[in-house]
Amino acid sequence: MHNFARLRDFLEGFGALLDEAPPEPAIHARGGRLLGELIAVDDWLPAAYAQPDPDRYQQYLLHADSRQRFSLVSFVWGPGQQTPIHDHTVWGLIGVLRGAELSQPYIRDAEGCLHEDGPVHRLEAGTVEAVSPSIGDIHRVRNAFDDQVSISVHLYGANIGGVKRSTYDPDGRPKTFISGYSNDTLPNIWNISRE
Ligand code: FE
């Protein structure tokens, strides 16, 4: 039996937090604590939102705020799967529910080239990491395991599946990217980019 009350209470609590219109550092701090509580217990994620795909990592929309103030997505990493280098353009919080993931931050130099910004972060189950244009928004993420699935739960300050953002090649050249979502079992009205 899935403990949907845990997910509902998180969404209600996070919506109430945003109603206060806090500055981004407070969203990261207080929202990060709420997300930490959500991922502390692995009893609520339905199996349909935990399915890996052999070809690529999956991004299942769990909830989109009706005013697109935030969205909650389960990322399901098959063994060894990884993202391209990418940005978000909005604040984000990443909490690992199962397994572990590796995040490599990148920074842009004066010529616009991207460089690795410090070491890879290893995020174990139960930990939360923040991204945003103000604190570092470009990274590459991969499953820390080559022999098991990992799952992380991501919270973003927009309907992330419809946000026009970028992936980057190693030289830092951007390519427009709208991620959409992997859901195929529910009507999904959130795949549309806002012009
Ligand atoms: Fe990311």
Side-chain angles (χ1 to χ4, degrees):
M1 191 64 192
H2 297 295
N3 185 356
F4 288 135
R6 191 183 308 284
L7 176 59
R8 182 203 57 201
D9 291 351
F10 166 81
L11 293 167
E12 202 169 348
F14 188 72
L17 168 58
L18 285 192
D19 285 344
E20 297 176 29
E24 185 184 285
I27 293 174
H28 274 150
R30 293 169 61 194
R33 280 196 290 276
L34 291 173
L35 183 62
E37 290 171 13
L38 177 67
I39 58 153
V41 187
D42 186 4
D43 65 356
W44 55 270
L45 185 68
Y49 300 85
Q51 294 303 315
D53 179 276
D55 294 330
R56 59 163 297 151
Y57 63 92
Q58 299 290 284
Q59 306 160 79
Y60 298 106
L61 178 65
L62 296 169
H63 182 78
D65 174 64
S66 62
R67 283 177 275 159
Q68 302 193 56
R69 297 176 303 169
F70 71 97
S71 55
L72 188 72
V73 182
S74 66
F75 271 63
V76 182
W77 310 92
Q81 287 178 345
Q82 67 175 341
T83 66
I85 303 172
H86 67 277
D87 64 16
H88 312 85
T89 75
V90 295
W91 62 257
L93 286 159
I94 296 151
V96 180
L97 182 71
R98 274 175 223 171
E101 64 184 46
L102 303 172
S103 175
Q104 172 64 63
Y106 287 82
I107 193 163
R108 194 183 293 286
D109 66 20
E111 282 77 48
C113 292
L114 289 178
H115 299 278
E116 292 181 356
D117 184 18
V120 169
H121 304 172
R122 184 181 172 102
L123 300 173
E124 303 290 348
T127 57
V128 174
E129 183 174 75
V131 292
S132 93
S134 64
I135 62 168
D137 196 39
I138 302 178
H139 67 172
R140 175 194 283 258
V141 181
R142 61 161 286 160
N143 191 347
F145 296 99
D146 290 323
D147 59 357
Q148 71 178 69
V149 170
S150 292
I151 299 177
S152 52
V153 178
H154 298 204
L155 178 67
Y156 299 99
N159 165 35
I160 195 69
V163 171
K164 197 176 282 183
R165 48 198 178 117
S166 299
T167 59
Y168 297 89
D169 67 21
D171 294 328
R173 275 188 294 268
K175 190 174 156 204
T176 298
F177 164 62
I178 299 172
S179 68
Y181 297 112
S182 308
N183 304 56
D184 58 7
T185 55
L186 290 172
N188 186 347
I189 62 172
W190 299 110
N191 269 329
I192 305 154
S193 172
R194 244 187 195 157
E195 289 304 320

